[in-house]
Amino acid sequence: MELVLWITTAMVYLTREASKLWRKICVETSLELHFLAEKWKYLLAGLIFQYIHGLAARGVHYLHQPGPILKDIGFMILPELGAERGYFSETLFSVIFLSFMLWTFHPFVYHSKRFYTVLLWPRVLACLVVCQMLRIITFYSTILPGPNYHCREGSPLASLPPPNSIFEVLFINFPRGVVYGCGDLIFSSHMIFTLVFVRTYHKYGSKRFVKMLAWVMVIAQSLLIIASRKHYTVDVVVAWYTVNFVVFLVDSKLPEMPDRSVGNQALLPLSAKEKESKAREENHKLLNGNSADATDWRQRTQINGKHVEHGNQVQSESTINGVSR
């Protein structure tokens, strides 16, 4: 009997909590959809460029020629993990990538939140796109022999035969063509995503411990990429200063997002009718001598041709008692 009562109580509690969670998701979705109506073009453009970046990486693989591995100070310092342990860096990257993805959607679930998901992702994609454009320019400028195991001399995947059709290029042999690419070295794409994600969390995240842990993971990711011979050390070093500079530049050019943690109301975009109505209201206030700014609450009275603000008299062109002031 007690077990049945306990199960019933637990079911009622879980049902109540699920109902609260569903209401949170619905309310947040309705807010985010207002922003999505304005920002969807930027999101779509950023996603399309991810495909263009993959297409460019696939294209340079056709130009790649295997050769001796270049002398690299990172290779001399860090022991080689070997092909059988190359998944270490990919596993860490997957943890960073999925953690960031889940964190950007936490406003749909948690009560405390600092940003709108739809406003955050255009900033992230803008940083990614600029970095990837620079990356495409650099790895097409000089095609280095890949240090990865499948890119070395003797590997059948090191170079690709000419494509049989344009569709073979456009489909980029996903996902195998992405995993086993060669020639797209300077600078590391994994470091672009990792640094952009961690920089974004460092700015908009709230947990100090998580921020410190994230930077430790970035350093570990850098070392694992070199140790697994997926990139030369220069690919990682160039990514460190290029990505940080790009994120700083993009942040300085884009308008800052509203901070929801300080109790700001949702800054929903106005429709065309609402904008027109607001403009008419402000013009009406100006014609009547009232300030269009709602925060300008100072009283203004007119006495004998003078305007008085808070008891301080502001002189006008009229005269008082025949004396010009």
Side-chain angles (χ1 to χ4, degrees):
M1 189 68 179
E2 292 181 358
L3 178 61
V4 174
L5 180 61
W6 183 86
I7 294 176
T8 304
T9 305
M11 291 296 294
V12 171
Y13 173 78
L14 291 176
T15 303
R16 188 185 302 115
E17 293 300 314
S19 178
K20 291 180 181 179
L21 178 61
W22 177 248
R23 285 198 297 270
K24 286 181 183 178
I25 294 175
C26 291
V27 170
E28 185 67 24
T29 301
S30 64
L31 293 174
E32 299 280 357
L33 285 175
H34 284 282
F35 293 110
L36 184 61
E38 280 197 350
K39 304 296 183 181
W40 69 270
K41 295 179 182 179
Y42 304 108
L43 293 170
L44 181 60
L47 294 175
I48 290 175
F49 195 84
Q50 300 311 299
Y51 167 74
I52 296 174
H53 175 252
L55 192 63
R58 178 66 173 177
V60 79
H61 195 168
Y62 287 101
L63 305 175
H64 175 259
Q65 293 296 325
I69 298 177
L70 304 178
K71 187 171 291 292
D72 188 283
I73 190 170
F75 292 178
M76 289 186 267
I77 296 174
L78 296 174
E80 189 171 348
L81 289 178
E84 66 279 1
R85 290 186 290 272
Y87 66 90
F88 285 2
S89 64
E90 293 298 329
T91 301
L92 181 58
F93 176 75
S94 298
V95 170
I96 296 172
F97 188 93
L98 293 176
S99 300
F100 181 79
M101 290 286 292
L102 292 174
W103 170 73
T104 60
F105 286 93
H106 86 271
F108 287 86
V109 179
Y110 288 92
H111 179 71
S112 59
K113 56 200 76 174
R114 295 186 61 184
F115 56 84
Y116 296 96
T117 302
V118 175
L119 296 183
L120 180 71
W121 270 106
R123 304 180 73 92
V124 173
L125 288 171
C127 296
L128 291 177
V129 167
V130 174
C131 291
Q132 289 166 341
M133 290 175 64
L134 296 174
R135 180 173 188 261
I136 292 171
I137 294 172
T138 54
F139 68 61
Y140 267 104
S141 299
T142 302
I143 305 173
L144 303 177
N148 210 335
Y149 303 101
H150 64 269
C151 299
R152 298 179 182 179
E153 293 177 312
S155 171
L157 301 175
S159 57
L160 297 178
N164 296 321
S165 66
I166 186 64
F167 296 104
E168 184 178 335
V169 178
L170 295 177
F171 290 150
I172 64 178
N173 192 21
F174 185 84
R176 185 177 176 83
V178 176
V179 176
Y180 294 100
C182 296
D184 56 327
L185 292 175
I186 302 176
F187 42 97
S188 170
S189 179
H190 283 59
M191 289 305 300
I192 290 177
F193 281 92
T194 300
L195 284 167
V196 169
F197 289 172
V198 172
R199 283 282 307 241
T200 303
Y201 183 81
H202 187 85
K203 182 174 182 179
Y204 299 107
S206 56
K207 305 296 183 182
R208 185 177 180 182
F209 171 76
V210 177
K211 293 179 182 181
M212 296 174 60
L213 178 62
W215 283 111
V216 171
M217 295 174 73
V218 176
I219 296 172
Q221 176 73 18
S222 304
L223 299 176
L224 285 174
I225 288 175
I226 299 171
S228 60
R229 304 303 189 252
K230 294 184 177 179
H231 278 277
Y232 292 108
T233 304
V234 66
D235 307 337
V236 175
V237 171
V238 171
W240 266 94
Y241 61 74
T242 303
V243 176
N244 279 290
F245 174 74
V246 168
V247 173
F248 171 78
L249 185 64
V250 171
D251 273 342
S252 65
K253 296 298 181 182
L254 294 179
E256 191 52 75
M257 295 192 302
D259 188 354
R260 302 177 71 178
S261 63
V262 295
N264 289 342
Q265 298 296 322
L267 302 178
L268 299 179
L270 298 176
S271 64
K273 289 184 178 180
E274 290 173 331
K275 291 178 180 178
E276 184 179 351
S277 175
K278 186 177 180 180
R280 284 202 303 266
E281 182 181 352
E282 290 179 351
N283 288 335
H284 180 70
K285 288 180 178 180
L286 290 172
L287 290 173
N288 290 335
N290 297 325
S291 172
D293 187 359
T295 61
D296 193 357
W297 48 267
R298 295 173 298 177
Q299 293 183 350
R300 292 175 171 84
T301 57
Q302 190 172 11
I303 303 176
N304 293 332
K306 295 183 178 180
H307 294 285
V308 181
E309 299 180 359
H310 296 290
N312 296 325
Q313 294 181 342
V314 180
Q315 297 179 0
S316 66
E317 294 181 357
S318 60
T319 58
I320 299 178
N321 297 328
V323 180
S324 177
R325 302 248 176 186

